[in-house]
Amino acid sequence: MIREISLYSLNSKYSYIHPVEKIGLVLVSLISCSYTENIYIILGNIVFFIILNIKAKNPFNMIKKFICITGAFFIFTAVTLLWQGNSVEYIVLLLLRILNGSLTIAFLSLTTPINHLVYLMSKFEYLRDVGDIIKVMERFISVIEDDFVTTFKAMKSRAGFCGFKNSIIDFGKVCGITFKNLIFRWREINLSLKNRCYVGKHNYNYSFKLSKVRVTFVIFYLFTVILMNYIMI
């Protein structure tokens, strides 16, 4: 999934937009909907990001994966909250917040390559090393994910995961094999980096330009959310 997200973001029609503009828009959405308890503001924000995802031509199957992942965590949270005696209205509010967060993060992830985000971090001395670590970890996790998927398919093609008990045992075997491969993969990655004279620093060469129109829109969006939240109290 990480590799797919990276490929989609690199080929997005909005990848040329300055990452600060998209991050600002996303932060306004996440922060405002996390604090407001007005479901109409959250619903409006959900519709807004649905439109943005459609305009960006983000693939629905990837957006669905974001929603399913967050939805799985929501189910366990909802059961716990209901057990503790929380109201149904609060559960619905939490559901809308999670749906808004899924659509918002999906928009950022599918339109902004991680290289662009790390490029911003490299502009600051104290964040440069963190950005390099993020970049290396992205590649490392992509390799491990491919190993897991390959091992899972190989075991399934050999009549694995038959029955509930066997599925648990086979899943544990897949995790164990992946962990074993992880150790060997790290040695290979470390050796390849040394062969390429890697000194712990990445070079990022991008040229972005802030758009006054888009920045004005983000500011207008922020004040609109604040005003609506104040009026609808």
Side-chain angles (χ1 to χ4, degrees):
M1 182 175 175
I2 295 176
R3 191 181 297 275
E4 288 180 288
I5 293 173
S6 178
L7 292 174
Y8 279 122
S9 62
L10 286 170
N11 293 281
S12 173
K13 61 182 292 187
Y14 288 160
S15 62
Y16 71 94
I17 297 177
H18 201 297
V20 170
E21 299 172 17
K22 290 178 281 188
I23 292 173
L25 189 68
V26 166
L27 288 178
V28 172
S29 171
L30 294 176
I31 295 174
S32 62
C33 291
S34 296
Y35 282 95
T36 185
E37 295 185 359
N38 192 308
I39 62 173
Y40 297 106
I41 295 177
I42 302 176
L43 284 172
N45 207 70
I46 289 173
V47 173
F48 175 63
F49 270 91
I50 289 175
I51 295 172
L52 283 181
N53 278 293
I54 293 174
K55 286 182 66 64
K57 295 182 179 180
N58 292 332
F60 176 73
N61 63 319
M62 293 302 299
I63 298 175
K64 185 172 66 175
K65 288 182 180 180
F66 277 93
I67 296 175
C68 290
I69 291 172
T70 55
F73 286 100
F74 167 75
I75 291 174
F76 292 105
T77 304
V79 171
T80 304
L81 292 174
L82 285 173
W83 182 268
Q84 293 176 347
N86 289 276
S87 63
V88 177
E89 290 78 8
Y90 179 75
I91 304 298
V92 172
L93 177 65
L94 184 61
L95 174 62
L96 292 177
R97 285 176 175 172
I98 289 176
L99 180 58
N100 175 75
S102 302
L103 294 170
T104 304
I105 297 299
F107 172 76
L108 180 65
S109 301
L110 296 172
T111 59
T112 311
I114 193 169
N115 284 355
H116 295 181
L117 300 177
V118 176
Y119 160 75
L120 291 180
M121 299 176 69
S122 66
K123 295 293 184 180
F124 303 94
E125 181 181 356
Y126 297 106
L127 295 178
R128 189 175 296 119
D129 291 336
V130 177
D132 289 338
I133 292 172
I134 291 174
K135 183 58 187 174
V136 174
M137 286 303 299
E138 182 216 9
R139 295 178 180 176
F140 185 64
I141 293 174
S142 296
V143 172
I144 297 305
E145 182 185 17
D146 289 342
D147 271 344
F148 179 84
V149 172
T150 302
T151 307
F152 183 87
K153 290 181 178 179
M155 186 166 288
K156 195 171 184 180
S157 66
R158 291 169 174 78
F161 302 96
C162 295
F164 179 76
K165 183 178 179 179
N166 290 333
S167 295
I168 296 176
I169 296 173
D170 291 339
F171 183 78
K173 290 180 180 178
V174 171
C175 292
I177 294 172
T178 304
F179 180 76
K180 181 180 178 181
N181 291 341
L182 182 150
I183 305 300
F184 291 105
R185 284 288 188 180
W186 174 247
R187 294 175 184 172
E188 294 173 2
I189 292 173
N190 188 34
L191 180 61
S192 65
L193 290 175
K194 290 180 179 179
N195 290 336
R196 290 169 174 80
C197 301
Y198 176 68
V199 294
K201 299 292 181 182
H202 288 277
N203 181 41
Y204 307 98
N205 186 19
Y206 296 101
S207 179
F208 293 106
K209 185 177 180 181
L210 285 170
S211 169
K212 293 181 180 179
V213 176
R214 288 191 292 265
V215 171
T216 303
F217 175 77
V218 173
I219 296 173
F220 174 76
Y221 171 61
L222 171 62
F223 281 103
T224 300
V225 172
I226 295 174
L227 182 61
M228 289 179 62
N229 194 46
Y230 177 77
I231 293 174
M232 304 177 96
I233 291 179

